[in-house]
Amino acid sequence: MAVETKKETLGFETEVKHLLHLMIHSLYSNKEIFLRELISNASDAADKLRFEALSNDRLYEGDSELKIRLEYDKEKRTITVIDNGIGMTREEVQEHIGTIAKSGTRQFFESLTGEQAKDSELIGQFGVGFYSSFIVADKVTLTTRKAGADKSEGVRWESTGEGDYTIESVEKAQRGTEIVLHLKESESEFLDGYRIRSIVRKFSDHISLPIVMDKEIMPSMDKDEEGEEAEKAKAPAPVEEETINRASALWTRARQEISEEDYNEFYKHVAHDFQDPLVHVHSKVEGTNEYTLLLYVPSRAPFDLWDRDAKHGVKLYIRKVFITDDAEQLMPRYLRFIRGIIDASSLPLNVSREILQQSKQISTIKSGAVKKVLGMLEGLASNDPEKYAKFWSEFGTVMKEGPIEDHSNKERIAKLLRFASTHADTDKQDVSLENYVSRMKEGQDKIYYVTADSFSAAKNSPHLEIFRKKGIEVLLLSDRIDEWLVSNLSEFDGKHLQSVAKGDLDLDKLDGEEAKKEQEDVNKEFEPVLKQIKDVLADKVSEVRLSHRLTESPACLVADVYGMSLNMERIMKEAGQSMGMGRKPIFEVNPAHPLVARMKNEQDDSRFADLTHILFDQAILSEGGQLDDPAAFVHKLNGLLQGLLH
Ligand code: ADP
Ligand code: MG
C-alpha cells in the first residue's frame, strides 16, 4: 500500500483551526488540564483493549499489564505520554485526531458568538480532549499502533496545531499510543517531575490504571570525600519505575474516603466534560445481584441532548472491567443526561450486546439505578432548591418525558416536575404540583392548566380570565412536550388535571346559590342571540353557549371534554398529522362584554354575521392559532372600522 506509507500533509478542517485558536487562548489560565485529557484518553484506550481482549486475548501480544507511562526530557523540552492500550489504525487517527467529528461539533460552532469571554465558557461545555495538547505544545507527535496489528502498521501523526498535520506509516514495536509534546518556550514549568506528579494526583488519582514514572534520582546529600570525579565514574544506578497515582477505581472506594474534588475529577473523565457536575449519587447495592453505581447530573445540558443518535451516558463495567459506554438498557430515555458508571459484579464478563439486551439482571439494575437517580433528584429538590432550579432549567423538558415513558415511577416523577403558573406570572418553571395543591382554594378539586405554544400566549389566554377573577391558580404550559405530559398524567394526589380550555369548568361549587340564579336569567335573555350565532358559524362549531370563563374578552373557543385542545391540534398539524376527525370546538361568548351585548340588538343581518366571524377569528388568534383566511378577517374588520368614520 504505497499510498498509505507515503507521508501526507493534510489540512485541518476550518472548524478545528478555529477551535484550536480559541482553546489555546481561553484555557490558558488552566493549562495543566492537557495532562488530564491525555491520561483520560490513554485510560479509555486501556479500557477498550481489556474489553476486546475478553474475546481475543492475542490482542495483549503477551503483555497484559496495562499502564500509562509519563516521561519528560529537559534537554529536548518534551513530555511524553505512553500507553499500551488499544491503539489506532491510520483511518482511526485521521478520523479521531485529524478532525473533530464529535457529535455536537456543529451546534458548538453555531453557538459561538465571536466574543472571547462568552466563547471561553462555551468551550468548557464542549470538552477539549486531545487538542488541549496545543495549549502547552507548539508541536505534537503521536505515534500509534493498533493492538493485534503488525508492527509495520504503526502510524505517525504530527502537527504544530496551525494549518495542517502530517500522517505517515512507521514501524512500532509496542502496541498502543505514544504522544510527544514539544513544549513551548514559555512552558518550562512542566519539565519538572514534581509538578507532573502533583498534576496527576490532582486530576487522575481515580483512574484505575497505574500511571508510572521513573523514580527521581535525588542529588546525593552527603558530599562524598571521593569527590565529583569518582562520582561520575560510577555506573548510573538502574532507574526504577514507580506508580504515581492511587490506581484504584474511584467507585470501589468508600464514600467517606472520597473528596468532592475526587468525585468531580472522575466526572470530568467519564463524561468528557470540563465543568463540575451538579450533583452525584454513589451507592453500592448488595444482594444476589450486586452492583455499584456512581451517577452524576451535569451542570449543563450536553449539545446532543436532542440528538436521537447521541451516545448514552452511563458506562457499564463488570468487576472493574469496562464493557460498553453505549448501553441504552441502563437508563431510560428521560434520564439520558445522566453520566457515570455502573459496575455490575454478578454478571459474567463475557457478555455480548445481545445478552445485555435480554438480561434480567440488567433490567433489575436499571430499575434500581432509576430509583437512585430519582432519590438524588428528590434530595436536591428539598435540600438545595437553587441547584434544583438550575437542574430544571437544563433538563426539565427531558424530565417531562418521564411520566409518559416510565409508568412505574409516575408519581415520583410527577413530584419532581416544575411549571410556570399564574401564581408567579414569570416564565420560570418553579411551581411543583405539591405547591399547587397546597394553595388550592376551598372547594377546588382540580388542578387547572392552560397549554399554548409560548409562555406569553399561555399567560394571556382569555381562558384564564375567570380564574384570575376568582384567584384560582392555573399552570401555564408552553413546552411542546406538555400536551403529551398532561395527556399521560391525568391525576396528581387524587386530583384531576383539567385544561381550562376544555369542557365545562364546573366552577359553580366555588360560587354561591345567588350567582347561579342570576346566570339562569342571563341564559334566557341570550338564547336567541346564541341561536343566531350558531346559524352564522354553522358547521365551524359544535355548539354556541354563554361563557363562564371570560370576564374581559368577548369570546373564546373551548374543546369538549374528550376533544383535543387547539394547541394540540396545531402541534399535530405541524407534525404532518391532520386530524380529519377532530371534534369541532365549542364557541363561548361573554354576555358581559359590550360587543356581545350589542349583538342582541343588531338588526342588520350582514353586520351581525361580520361581527360573529370577527369574534370567532379573534378567539382563534388570542390562543395563538392561525386563521384559515386572514384576508377575509382583515376585510371584515376594516368594514366595521369604516363604520366608525361616519
Ligand atoms: P474524547 O476523548 O472526548 O473522545 P479526544 O479529543 O480526547 O475526545 O479524543 C478523540 C478520540 O481520539 C478518542 O475518542 C479516541 O478514539 C482517540 N484517541 C485519543 N487518544 C487515544 C489513545 N491514547 N489511544 C487510542 N485512541 C485515542
Ligand atoms: Mg478524551
Side-chain angles (χ1 to χ4, degrees):
M1 292 208 226
V3 180
E4 292 218 339
T5 44
K6 194 180 74 189
K7 183 162 176 169
E8 282 182 274
T9 302
L10 297 164
F12 281 125
E13 286 180 359
T14 348
E15 292 181 342
V16 180
K17 270 190 248 172
H18 187 172
L19 180 63
L20 280 171
H21 182 84
L22 194 62
M23 185 154 56
I24 290 166
H25 289 91
S26 54
L27 293 180
Y28 203 71
S29 56
N30 213 349
K31 53 196 175 180
E32 73 228 31
I33 58 143
F34 76 90
L35 205 50
R36 170 181 80 198
E37 296 297 330
L38 296 181
I39 289 174
S40 172
N41 287 348
S43 155
D44 288 348
D47 274 352
K48 282 180 202 153
L49 175 61
R50 214 181 269 124
F51 176 65
E52 299 269 315
L54 288 176
S55 54
N56 176 12
D57 69 0
R58 287 203 327 271
L59 294 180
Y60 280 135
E61 302 173 16
D63 167 24
S64 61
E65 222 178 276
L66 301 184
K67 62 182 179 188
I68 301 171
R69 188 177 149 77
L70 302 181
E71 295 172 358
Y72 66 99
D73 185 324
K74 280 195 160 144
E75 256 87 77
K76 293 193 190 134
R77 304 185 45 79
T78 56
I79 289 186
T80 306
V81 180
I82 305 163
D83 70 65
N84 55 357
I86 190 82
M88 283 178 273
T89 64
R90 189 172 175 131
E91 289 73 42
E92 285 168 338
V93 172
Q94 299 242 95
E95 189 181 332
H96 300 311
I97 305 289
T99 61
I100 29 171
K102 290 190 212 176
S103 60
T105 311
R106 166 91 54 72
Q107 293 100 302
F108 174 71
F109 279 98
E110 278 167 3
S111 47
L112 289 180
T113 60
E115 255 178 74
Q116 176 91 35
K118 279 195 195 137
D119 290 348
S120 304
E121 262 201 18
L122 275 173
I123 208 161
Q125 285 181 63
F126 184 64
V128 285
F130 174 77
Y131 292 100
S132 62
S133 317
F134 290 104
I135 306 173
V136 296
D138 48 22
K139 186 168 86 180
V140 177
T141 313
L142 173 148
T143 314
T144 184
R145 174 171 67 76
K146 189 89 176 178
D150 191 80
K151 66 179 189 306
S152 65
E153 291 179 42
V155 187
R156 175 161 301 145
W157 176 101
E158 192 165 79
S159 177
T160 57
E162 275 155 1
D164 45 31
Y165 61 92
T166 61
I167 190 161
E168 66 186 308
S169 297
V170 294
E171 288 242 328
K172 190 171 185 302
Q174 201 205 29
R175 66 147 195 276
T177 305
E178 175 183 309
I179 296 167
V180 182
L181 307 181
H182 307 267
L183 295 189
K184 293 177 187 169
E185 241 5 279
S186 52
E187 307 305 332
S188 307
E189 59 178 296
F190 293 109
L191 294 168
D192 170 353
Y194 297 99
R195 181 75 203 277
I196 294 174
R197 281 172 169 78
S198 83
I199 299 173
V200 168
R201 238 165 267 131
K202 176 169 164 203
F203 288 138
S204 307
D205 224 15
H206 57 77
I207 295 220
S208 52
L209 206 61
I211 302 172
V212 303
M213 276 181 91
D214 283 346
K215 268 198 172 141
E216 299 285 328
I217 303 161
M218 300 281 186
S220 58
M221 298 298 279
D222 49 334
K223 281 276 155 229
D224 232 347
E225 45 283 5
E226 285 167 72
E228 277 183 35
E229 286 305 306
E231 181 109 27
K232 269 187 191 160
K234 269 195 217 158
V239 199
E240 256 183 275
E241 251 182 14
E242 63 176 348
T243 300
I244 59 170
N245 63 335
R246 277 176 76 138
S248 78
L250 184 82
W251 65 88
T252 59
R253 293 193 225 151
R255 272 197 303 252
Q256 58 276 14
E257 277 177 32
I258 306 175
S259 70
E260 205 56 27
E261 204 182 4
D262 289 335
Y263 276 124
N264 290 351
E265 287 306 329
F266 184 71
Y267 164 77
K268 291 176 193 168
H269 168 65
V270 286
H272 298 275
D273 193 355
F274 183 78
Q275 289 174 321
D276 286 339
L278 207 57
V279 59
H280 71 260
V281 56
H282 181 192
S283 156
K284 182 170 180 169
V285 178
E286 321 252 353
T288 45
N289 188 9
E290 268 188 21
Y291 60 93
T292 301
L293 55 76
L294 175 50
L295 301 173
Y296 297 87
V297 178
S299 51
R300 296 226 200 179
F303 284 99
D304 55 5
L305 188 62
W306 300 104
D307 181 352
R308 286 243 145 213
D309 306 321
K311 275 216 169 164
H312 303 271
V314 175
K315 298 186 185 200
L316 176 67
Y317 283 73
I318 294 177
R319 293 186 291 286
K320 290 194 278 184
V321 177
F322 168 76
I323 304 296
T324 172
D325 57 1
D326 199 21
E328 50 188 309
Q329 302 75 11
L330 290 177
M331 275 290 140
R333 279 200 54 80
Y334 73 98
L335 296 177
R336 61 185 174 273
F337 52 85
I338 296 289
R339 298 286 179 264
I341 66 97
I342 294 180
D343 190 334
S345 5
S346 36
L347 283 174
L349 262 179
N350 56 354
V351 284
S352 66
R353 277 192 156 270
E354 293 68 43
I355 293 179
L356 278 183
Q357 235 136 39
Q358 292 147 17
S359 160
K360 259 225 160 75
Q361 287 180 48
I362 288 282
S363 64
T364 314
I365 292 175
K366 175 182 175 180
S367 71
V370 167
K371 294 208 155 66
K372 294 282 178 200
V373 170
L374 295 177
M376 158 173 75
L377 295 174
E378 285 156 3
L380 192 66
S382 55
N383 304 329
D384 196 340
E386 216 169 282
K387 257 195 189 173
Y388 191 79
K390 171 116 181 55
F391 159 75
W392 189 259
S393 73
E394 294 292 321
F395 302 108
T397 36
V398 184
M399 282 302 288
K400 286 176 178 174
E401 296 172 16
I404 306 167
E405 185 184 356
D406 185 356
H407 290 271
S408 61
N409 290 302
K410 210 168 177 174
E411 272 291 306
R412 277 181 88 174
I413 302 167
K415 282 188 188 159
L416 290 168
L417 302 175
R418 296 293 181 270
F419 303 98
S421 117
T422 51
H423 188 74
D425 264 357
T426 73
D427 64 350
K428 221 171 149 227
Q429 298 183 2
D430 57 3
V431 172
S432 71
L433 292 171
E434 284 172 309
N435 296 152
Y436 183 101
V437 168
S438 73
R439 289 195 286 256
M440 277 170 52
K441 287 261 178 265
E442 179 96 26
Q444 179 187 351
D445 57 357
K446 290 185 178 127
I447 297 171
Y448 293 101
Y449 65 85
V450 61
T451 54
D453 76 341
S454 71
F455 172 75
S456 61
K459 187 179 113 170
N460 297 314
S461 165
H463 293 287
L464 297 182
E465 290 170 7
I466 185 69
F467 292 88
R468 285 234 162 76
K469 188 173 157 203
K470 290 188 188 291
I472 298 173
E473 182 172 4
V474 178
L475 301 175
L476 304 171
L477 311 187
S478 55
D479 283 337
R480 219 140 223 276
I481 182 83
D482 286 334
E483 285 283 358
W484 277 275
L485 173 64
V486 290
S487 60
N488 278 272
L489 187 76
S490 52
E491 228 186 71
F492 176 79
D493 192 16
K495 278 137 198 107
H496 189 70
L497 267 76
Q498 159 83 45
S499 164
V500 298
K502 265 191 201 175
D504 251 331
L505 279 183
D506 197 20
L507 292 173
D508 306 356
K509 277 184 218 147
L510 296 162
D511 289 329
E513 281 302 311
E514 218 171 294
K516 257 186 213 164
K517 173 86 186 57
E518 210 170 287
Q519 258 179 22
E520 272 163 33
D521 294 344
V522 180
N523 274 342
K524 276 234 171 63
E525 189 188 336
F526 275 83
E527 223 167 276
V529 192
L530 296 181
K531 190 168 173 314
Q532 208 181 341
I533 293 177
K534 172 74 174 98
D535 287 344
V536 172
L537 293 176
D539 53 0
K540 280 188 170 175
V541 297
S542 65
E543 187 189 336
V544 178
R545 66 186 183 204
L546 290 185
S547 183
H548 304 305
R549 347 181 165 232
L550 300 176
T551 60
E552 287 145 40
S553 300
C556 68
L557 286 167
V558 176
D560 75 28
V561 196
Y562 306 103
M564 218 182 276
S565 74
L566 228 58
N567 188 48
M568 185 66 161
E569 277 207 49
R570 188 179 43 243
I571 291 176
M572 301 294 274
K573 243 189 218 162
E574 276 171 26
Q577 274 168 296
S578 103
M579 299 299 290
M581 45 184 286
R583 287 159 189 265
K584 282 172 206 148
I586 297 161
F587 188 52
E588 288 193 357
V589 295
N590 174 8
H593 195 280
L595 273 178
V596 179
R598 162 81 203 274
M599 285 173 83
K600 249 191 336 190
N601 309 317
E602 180 59 62
Q603 303 298 326
D604 181 337
D605 282 354
S606 109
R607 270 170 71 100
F608 185 92
D610 281 354
L611 252 170
T612 304
H613 283 297
I614 286 171
L615 291 187
F616 179 78
D617 286 352
Q618 277 185 351
I620 294 178
L621 287 175
S622 64
E623 276 195 62
Q626 295 210 340
L627 301 182
D628 289 337
D629 188 354
F633 169 73
V634 172
H635 183 76
K636 287 189 180 102
L637 186 62
N638 283 345
L640 287 181
L641 289 176
Q642 272 165 32
L644 297 177
L645 300 176
H646 305 307

